[in-house]
Amino acid sequence: MKNLFWIGNGKVVLPQGVVQGGSILVENGKIAAINSNCPKGVEVIDAQEGYVLPGFIDIHVHGGGGSDFMDLSEKDVCTVCNTHCAYGTTALVATTMTCSDDLLEDAISCIRSVMKKQTLGAQILGLHLEGPYFAATSKGAQPVKELRIPTRENLEHIIRVAEGSIIRWDAAPELPNMQMFAQVMKENGILCSIAHSGANATITTQAFDWGFSHITHFYNACTTFHKENGIVHSGNIEATYIRPEITIELIGDGRHIPMESMLLAKQIKGADKICIITDAMRAAGTSETVSILGPRNGGTKVVVKDNVAQLPDFSFYAGSIATMDRCLRTAHVYYGIPLNEVSRMLSLTPARLSGVEHCKGSLEVGKDADIVIMDKDFYVQKVFVQGILH
Ligand SMILES: [Zn+2]
């Protein structure tokens, strides 16, 4: 059956602005025309004066719908993708957390096997390895007993297991062997990101020169202005702000980052250098109040309170329970960032960082028909992945 339909009567969100009464023609899974008249005899989808946006691309997400990418079952991997898809995410980068090498390899193999045959839900673009090379002082909710130092042999082994599907790898640059880490990432075309780091601005800047080019959940588990042995230093945050080429990601759940901090980041970096992420754990898209961060067997017990996952002693947030629609409402409705800029941070910039800007991330002729229709209050009405209604 031919995949051909026309979405009309919507406010179409393009990178440069919002077009009232716009339309999208979809043919064979691709966007065939924008703001055209409806061709004769074509199925019409009425956006009912709501918003028509490019599908969201979440480059940092662990779980949802009660499942986690590290549960080692294909069914659980699909549950995460289907859950986030229902809230407008049409593509994602599957995130693993700090764990043993054996578990990491098993998780990668399981996610890879879903990637090879996936037909439903948010499309897995590749892998994001969050750890295990972090500083114990900035570990957040990452399990301290699995933190370690990288070796070239070890990195190359994991990269081989993943068959070229690692998009990003996070590490703390103040640890030993980090110049080598950045070099291996460069050799393999992997985005090299600073995360869970206790580094001051001098070490952070050194890391940028080695090839680190992104900051994972900026502000969270990052350093700022602080004293070391009686001397004042700047931190990851200031070092990032003065390097315009460095990209960042912000957890958009409205809990991890208060309004002024997100507005400041947007003002300094601009929408083309920021991805909004969920960093969601398995309780996203559920009403669970007690949950597990990381693998179901052996993960960390967390509680969900005030709309965010937290360690039981409330010492750290332990991932969000957000979906990307909530991130959009937070940034646009509550924090007041213009819709087209929020859309860029939810779709276009993450597409670029994931290497799929040529086919995803914006409503442009020739790109995949990954489209979200939202109502006037920004709740999801319909989601299309490559032209297929989900
Ligand atoms: Zn994470």
Side-chain angles (χ1 to χ4, degrees):
M1 203 178 76
K2 201 164 189 237
N3 177 245
L4 179 66
F5 58 90
W6 183 84
I7 302 170
N9 191 27
K11 302 179 183 77
V12 174
V13 182
L14 302 175
Q16 57 278 12
V18 181
V19 179
Q20 307 278 338
S23 70
I24 304 281
L25 179 68
V26 173
E27 190 171 3
N28 294 327
K30 303 274 183 202
I31 297 170
I34 294 175
N35 300 332
S36 66
N37 290 325
C38 183
K40 268 208 176 82
V42 167
E43 182 194 354
V44 173
I45 291 173
D46 185 354
Q48 300 183 326
E49 298 180 11
Y51 295 89
V52 182
L53 296 115
F56 310 134
I57 300 178
D58 191 355
I59 64 167
H60 186 155
V61 50
H62 298 265
S67 296
D68 188 287
F69 283 122
M70 297 186 70
D71 283 339
L72 307 184
S73 102
E74 294 189 14
K75 189 166 163 280
D76 284 299
V77 171
C78 293
T79 298
V80 181
C81 295
N82 292 338
T83 300
H84 283 278
C85 188
Y87 296 94
T89 299
T90 54
L92 55 79
V93 181
T95 302
T96 62
M97 65 183 287
T98 295
C99 62
S100 70
D101 277 342
D102 285 348
L103 177 53
L104 184 59
E105 281 180 41
D106 290 348
I108 289 171
S109 302
C110 180
I111 296 165
R112 284 288 299 147
S113 109
V114 173
M115 279 176 77
K116 286 172 186 165
K117 57 190 177 207
Q118 194 185 13
T119 54
L120 280 176
Q123 210 184 334
I124 303 174
L125 300 174
L127 293 155
H128 161 214
L129 309 188
E130 189 176 8
Y133 315 117
F134 292 147
T137 48
S138 310
K139 67 179 177 50
Q142 304 277 329
V144 70
K145 71 178 195 317
E146 302 292 355
L147 297 175
R148 52 194 180 271
I149 309 296
T151 65
R152 179 175 267 274
E153 190 189 2
N154 192 234
L155 294 173
E156 287 176 344
H157 175 70
I158 298 286
I159 290 167
R160 247 189 329 273
V161 169
E163 303 171 291
S165 63
I166 301 172
I167 289 177
R168 168 167 46 137
W169 205 331
D170 298 348
E174 69 273 25
L175 297 186
N177 301 350
M178 277 300 151
Q179 188 169 8
M180 178 277 297
F181 177 87
Q183 179 61 31
V184 174
M185 296 305 113
K186 193 173 171 186
E187 287 164 13
N188 290 278
I190 297 170
L191 181 70
C192 187
S193 183
I194 294 177
H196 295 279
S197 160
N200 62 31
T202 311
I203 297 169
T204 305
T205 302
Q206 172 70 262
F208 294 153
D209 295 337
W210 290 337
F212 283 82
S213 65
H214 185 76
I215 310 285
T216 298
H217 45 52
F218 190 68
Y219 290 125
N220 299 116
C222 286
T223 57
T224 179
F225 203 73
H226 65 285
K227 248 181 173 175
E228 281 172 30
N229 304 322
I231 295 172
V232 175
H233 288 266
S234 299
N236 305 141
I237 292 173
E238 294 79 13
T240 301
Y241 274 147
I242 60 169
R243 288 283 285 256
E245 77 279 18
I246 303 300
T247 54
I248 62 172
E249 62 186 28
L250 301 172
I251 302 175
D253 67 345
R255 288 289 180 276
H256 283 77
I257 300 179
M259 180 174 74
E260 296 77 7
S261 302
M262 184 177 279
L263 295 180
L264 175 66
K266 218 279 290 175
Q267 188 169 313
I268 296 177
K269 285 279 164 192
D272 293 333
K273 291 286 186 282
I274 301 175
C275 300
I276 291 179
I277 56 161
T278 63
D279 195 6
M281 46 81 69
R282 73 173 71 237
T286 75
S287 52
E288 289 170 4
T289 53
V290 176
S291 187
I292 298 164
L293 179 71
R296 193 173 283 130
N297 300 317
T300 307
K301 190 187 156 195
V302 300
V303 293
V304 178
K305 188 168 177 281
D306 301 329
N307 251 325
V308 62
Q310 310 195 32
L311 293 185
D313 64 359
F314 303 110
S315 58
F316 287 103
Y317 284 173
S320 89
I321 58 159
T323 44
M324 289 291 257
D325 61 324
R326 175 173 150 193
C327 296
L328 182 149
R329 291 190 296 277
T330 299
H332 177 58
V333 180
Y334 303 122
Y335 292 0
I337 300 174
L339 184 57
N340 64 312
E341 294 193 89
V342 174
S343 172
R344 268 152 59 192
M345 295 190 281
L346 288 165
S347 302
L348 190 54
T349 309
R352 195 179 79 236
L353 291 190
S354 310
V356 295
E357 192 186 6
H358 60 285
C359 61
K360 293 185 184 296
S362 57
L363 300 175
E364 282 181 69
V365 172
K367 285 195 177 184
D368 290 348
D370 293 349
I371 299 168
V372 183
I373 301 177
M374 301 184 100
D375 68 13
K376 64 175 180 20
D377 298 317
F378 298 99
Y379 285 86
V380 171
Q381 302 301 304
K382 284 189 170 67
V383 181
F384 299 89
V385 181
Q386 295 183 314
I388 306 297
L389 180 63
H390 275 61

